[in-house]
Amino acid sequence: MEDEIVLPETALLAKQLGFKEKSFYWYQPRFDKTYRTYKFGDDHLLDSCMEDDCFLAPTQTLLQRYLREKHNKFVSVTPVLDFTNSKCTARYYYPTLNNNTIDLLDRFKTYEEALETGLKYTLNLLLSWKK
Amino acid sequence: MEKIVEQLISFETAKLAKEIRFNIYQNNQYSKGVNPTTIYNYSLEQCEFFRDTYYAPIQAILQKYIREKHNIHVFADCNQSGWYWILNKTNGTSISELDDYNYLSSYEEAIEIGLVKALNIIKNKLDLL
């Protein structure tokens, strides 16, 4: 059981926002537009090759804490009752922001999917304010 | 500037986690020694040999374990008074939240108390079996 690493798209947004916290992984783009994941310290030669197009791959929890402490934005995931299939299912929804709750009414099957969406949404929001 | 890191659970919480059979190997452990707040980095084999070690996962891992194995979602929220913890079942129905109006000064403190409350609920359930 491990803490989920954010997807490359989310990690890239975090880099654009200036995320530089201690992460154990990093992404490197490949020619086929996919990304390869590396763990810091597995190979010091590779770590030293981390070029401009590479970027840190934080866990969801670390990025969540970074947004909370550095940008005062709280991304929260809450389970909701869902009767759409005429039964209760465990699903999660939306980020809430400090003093400014935004309900994204999307429903997700897992906590991790919901959190990823919340993080991505918040990063995009912060980047749009930065411009 | 101090780097942001993920929060490990406390020694007391780790002891409770062991009681509800949280037994997933973690790189960080506490031990019953002189100073229980010291973090050790024993291997799995060493942990099995020294039976008085307690795994010290980050809060998010224990939250995930409780959510996936016991269907309790521990989370925190805040208002103008501070941070507070909430326990829900994973189907969205409420179990309990902030029973004493003791608001906390940080998210991590609120989550830690929420985890302890959830672990106690699970422990009582296991004791009844």
Side-chain angles (χ1 to χ4, degrees):
Chain A
M1 186 174 285
E2 287 194 350
D3 202 7
E4 206 79 18
I5 298 172
V6 297
L7 296 174
E9 307 89 83
T10 315
L12 202 52
L13 290 172
K15 183 188 178 183
Q16 287 167 21
L17 193 68
F19 177 88
K20 282 180 188 163
E21 303 300 328
K22 190 178 169 186
S23 305
F24 291 100
Y25 298 89
W26 53 280
Y27 284 123
Q28 184 183 46
R30 289 197 286 208
F31 70 93
D32 59 356
K33 294 188 178 171
T34 59
Y35 294 89
R36 187 164 173 192
T37 315
Y38 291 98
K39 188 170 183 183
F40 275 111
D42 273 356
D43 187 332
H44 293 292
L45 272 177
L46 279 174
D47 288 350
S48 63
C49 291
M50 195 179 154
E51 291 165 4
D52 282 351
D53 59 347
C54 302
F55 45 95
L56 297 171
T59 60
Q60 289 185 332
T61 319
L62 185 67
L63 187 56
Q64 190 187 22
R65 187 167 187 178
Y66 166 79
L67 291 172
R68 195 169 61 241
E69 296 192 356
K70 300 272 178 176
H71 296 277
N72 198 30
K73 295 289 170 282
F74 176 41
V75 182
S76 171
V77 174
T78 316
V80 286
L81 281 173
D82 190 328
F83 294 104
T84 49
N85 299 323
S86 47
K87 61 179 181 181
C88 288
T89 51
R91 290 190 179 178
Y92 300 87
Y93 71 124
Y94 78 73
T96 58
L97 306 185
N98 266 359
N99 307 322
N100 182 17
T101 302
I102 297 177
D103 295 351
L104 296 180
L105 294 174
D106 299 330
R107 297 287 193 269
F108 302 91
K109 281 183 186 155
T110 66
Y111 173 88
E112 286 76 18
E113 273 180 82
L115 185 55
E116 187 77 26
T117 309
L119 291 169
K120 210 168 156 186
Y121 178 87
T122 310
L123 287 165
N124 272 320
L125 195 71
L126 287 166
L127 285 168
S128 70
W129 289 348
K130 214 174 159 185
K131 280 175 193 166
Chain B
M1 193 190 288
E2 204 176 312
K3 290 271 183 188
I4 292 175
V5 290
E6 288 164 285
Q7 185 73 38
L8 296 181
I9 61 170
S10 70
F11 174 61
E12 292 304 323
T13 314
K15 274 203 311 192
L16 264 178
K18 192 170 184 175
E19 284 180 42
I20 67 138
R21 300 165 205 163
F22 174 79
N23 198 23
I24 301 168
Y25 175 74
Q26 305 290 315
N27 281 329
N28 299 307
Q29 307 100 25
Y30 293 111
S31 180
K32 251 186 194 164
V34 184
N35 186 358
T37 55
T38 306
I39 293 288
Y40 297 88
N41 300 113
Y42 292 132
S43 67
L44 174 61
E45 291 72 23
Q46 285 172 311
C47 287
E48 283 169 356
F49 182 75
F50 303 123
R51 290 179 178 268
D52 59 351
T53 53
Y54 302 90
Y55 291 137
I58 58 168
Q59 288 181 332
I61 292 287
L62 189 56
Q63 263 176 292
K64 187 172 183 174
Y65 176 81
I66 291 173
R67 191 169 60 242
E68 294 185 356
K69 298 275 174 187
H70 297 281
N71 297 323
I72 298 177
H73 181 59
V74 181
F75 63 111
D77 206 346
C78 64
N79 61 24
Q80 286 179 331
S81 303
W83 289 93
Y84 59 96
W85 54 271
I86 306 168
L87 302 186
N88 273 3
K89 285 185 192 166
T90 45
N91 66 10
T93 52
S94 177
I95 298 175
S96 59
E97 63 182 278
L98 187 75
D99 43 11
D100 45 12
Y101 291 94
N102 277 334
Y103 287 95
L104 288 311
S105 58
S106 72
Y107 170 88
E108 288 72 25
E109 282 177 77
I111 287 289
E112 191 75 20
I113 295 179
L115 288 171
V116 170
K117 300 265 180 194
L119 290 170
N120 278 319
I121 291 172
I122 297 162
K123 194 181 153 208
N124 289 339
K125 208 168 131 190
L126 291 176
D127 287 345
L128 289 174
L129 293 176

